[in-house]
Amino acid sequence: MTVQEAYQSAVAAGTLTSDPAQLAVLPELDRVREGLAAPVKKSLFRKATAAAVPGLYMWGGVGRGKSMLMDLLYDHVSVAKQRRHFHAFMQWVHAEINDARKRGVDDAIAPVAAKLAGDVRFLAFDEMQITDITDAMLVGRLFEALFDAGVTVVTTSNRPPDDLYKDGLNRQLFLPFIDLLKHHMVVHELTSDTDYRQNRLAGSPSYFTPIDADARTAIAQIWHDFSGGQSEPLVLHVKGRQVELPQFHNGVARAKFFDLCGKPLGAADYLALAEAVRVLILEDIPALSRNNFNEAKRFVTLIDALYEAKVQLICSAAATPEMLYLEGEGTFEFERTASRLREMQSDGWGK
């Protein structure tokens, strides 16, 4: 079955709504599928080699169906493959490089690229974005080695290649990587006017109080709708610190209040989190007071970061926003946070 046939089948079954912008990219997805399905050339004098198939860089606004389309292609590609969220992939790369250095390897990137190229022929990345100088310096050599080995890459992103690592430190050193992407991948903008992720939330509660069995059941159902029962931890590296989101899938993260506000995190950590996720499910926000003043301050900073980045927030809390913080230092300042929490519950917020 081609990707176009699979898409039309899902539309006929009612699990997808036909979208002109999505239809426009289907031929590119089938181009990748057909290229990877071509037989590998064999030679008496060399090992079998795979012809390089140009990849695809799909970018566009949040909720336009980029991840869904990439998954549709991934399901219909039969070669050795791997699908990762880009942050999780870079987390794996850092771990492999550290292991190589411990073994005394001088060029620690080379064995990582060789291992990956030996394991897969097709790599699918969700939400490519570069915000860290270390990652910016790594990806150029890593991807060059992967492309040279015939690995095909398909990725989604919320921004065009030219905006990757925008305004980043020493960005001029990163520009050759952008040229590399454009050379080995077709760049396609998904220009749909419909935000399907937001539509999924439209008309549905996003703030559950009190924290009881009903709230937990509702949160669990929302998470299942987004994740389909699949998830993995996501660790963000921020200025030498690690920010862990216990559950993550397709840009949606799920965490407890104390996972994010009970640890000594700051504005930079929450800004990195807001860059990495499009929906945050935050559970068990307690009543706030002078007894948990530090946690309350972090919560205010977290909400500010989510609000400015237009991240959708779904949460369970001990009380309504206006009743969360009633006594102790900081109650006056919390009025703005309560207002933002209330605004973030409204239909159409974040567009």
Side-chain angles (χ1 to χ4, degrees):
M1 182 182 291
T2 67
V3 178
Q4 295 185 68
E5 289 169 344
Y7 182 92
Q8 296 295 356
S9 178
V11 169
T15 55
L16 284 181
T17 300
S18 184
D19 183 294
Q22 294 175 4
L23 289 169
V25 76
L26 294 180
E28 284 295 336
L29 298 174
D30 269 323
R31 172 189 61 76
V32 174
R33 183 194 63 81
E34 291 164 8
L36 291 170
V40 174
K41 297 178 182 178
K42 296 183 179 180
S43 168
L44 293 175
F45 307 103
R46 300 174 58 191
K47 68 177 183 178
T49 57
V53 178
L56 179 65
Y57 185 108
M58 281 189 293
W59 72 277
V62 173
R64 267 55 186 182
K66 301 183 298 294
S67 298
M68 177 275 295
L69 290 168
M70 185 177 70
D71 287 344
L72 204 59
L73 168 64
Y74 188 85
D75 289 342
H76 290 82
V77 167
S78 57
V79 299
K81 57 188 178 180
Q82 188 179 120
R83 185 210 187 280
R84 304 289 295 275
H85 187 274
F86 191 73
H87 275 297
F89 171 73
M90 292 308 300
Q91 176 185 335
W92 175 84
V93 169
H94 283 293
E96 290 292 313
I97 287 176
N98 288 336
D99 286 344
R101 286 173 177 161
K102 288 176 183 178
R103 299 194 304 269
V105 177
D106 291 331
D107 182 1
I109 298 178
V112 178
K115 178 179 180 180
L116 196 57
D119 288 343
V120 301
R121 193 178 162 207
F122 174 50
L123 274 174
F125 292 123
D126 203 23
E127 299 198 17
M128 177 181 280
Q129 51 187 318
I130 311 288
T131 57
D132 180 82
I133 181 63
T134 306
D135 289 350
M137 295 303 99
L138 283 178
V139 292
R141 286 195 53 220
L142 179 63
F143 273 65
E144 185 175 17
L146 293 175
F147 289 140
D148 286 346
V151 175
T152 296
V153 176
V154 170
T155 188
T156 70
S157 182
N158 295 331
R159 59 193 66 189
D162 287 328
D163 285 353
L164 289 174
Y165 197 51
K166 191 173 183 180
D167 302 321
L169 182 66
N170 293 323
R171 188 173 188 266
Q172 70 278 4
L173 301 176
F174 181 76
L175 297 180
F177 173 66
I178 295 176
D179 292 336
L180 186 73
L181 290 182
K182 292 178 178 179
H183 180 72
H184 290 277
M185 305 171 75
V186 173
V187 178
H188 185 102
E189 181 183 5
L190 206 64
T191 56
S192 175
D193 293 328
T194 304
D195 183 340
Y196 292 97
R197 186 173 289 173
Q198 189 171 70
N199 285 354
R200 186 182 295 180
L201 293 172
S204 301
S206 59
Y207 191 103
F208 299 90
T209 187
I211 303 169
D212 56 14
D214 288 341
R216 293 189 177 93
T217 299
I219 290 281
Q221 183 59 55
I222 291 171
W223 170 245
H224 186 270
D225 288 345
F226 275 117
S227 69
Q230 303 177 52
S231 72
E232 60 183 352
L234 176 64
V235 179
L236 306 175
H237 298 270
V238 186
K239 298 181 179 179
R241 298 184 300 277
Q242 291 188 344
V243 182
E244 181 171 353
L245 296 162
Q247 294 177 280
F248 182 85
H249 183 73
N250 272 1
V252 182
R254 184 183 186 186
K256 302 282 190 182
F257 175 86
F258 282 97
D259 291 328
L260 300 180
C261 301
K263 299 174 182 178
L265 303 178
D269 304 296
Y270 298 134
L271 288 171
L273 185 156
E275 277 278 340
V277 310
R278 303 323 314 158
V279 178
L280 175 64
I281 299 174
L282 186 65
E283 298 181 83
D284 300 342
I285 303 169
L288 304 171
S289 68
R290 62 171 60 91
N291 295 324
N292 52 11
F293 177 67
N294 289 331
E295 290 87 346
K297 282 180 61 179
R298 294 184 196 116
F299 180 64
V300 168
T301 305
L302 170 63
I303 296 304
D304 283 345
L306 299 177
Y307 181 88
E308 295 298 335
K310 302 297 184 184
V311 174
Q312 296 284 336
L313 177 67
I314 300 166
C315 59
S316 61
T320 61
E322 295 79 10
M323 302 297 287
L324 264 180
Y325 199 161
L326 294 180
E327 58 91 15
E329 182 183 355
T331 54
F332 178 77
E333 291 81 358
F334 192 80
E335 288 181 7
R336 185 186 70 165
T337 301
S339 175
R340 288 189 162 186
L341 283 170
R342 185 64 69 181
E343 183 182 352
M344 291 165 80
Q345 297 174 49
S346 61
D347 277 353
W349 182 86
K351 280 191 174 179

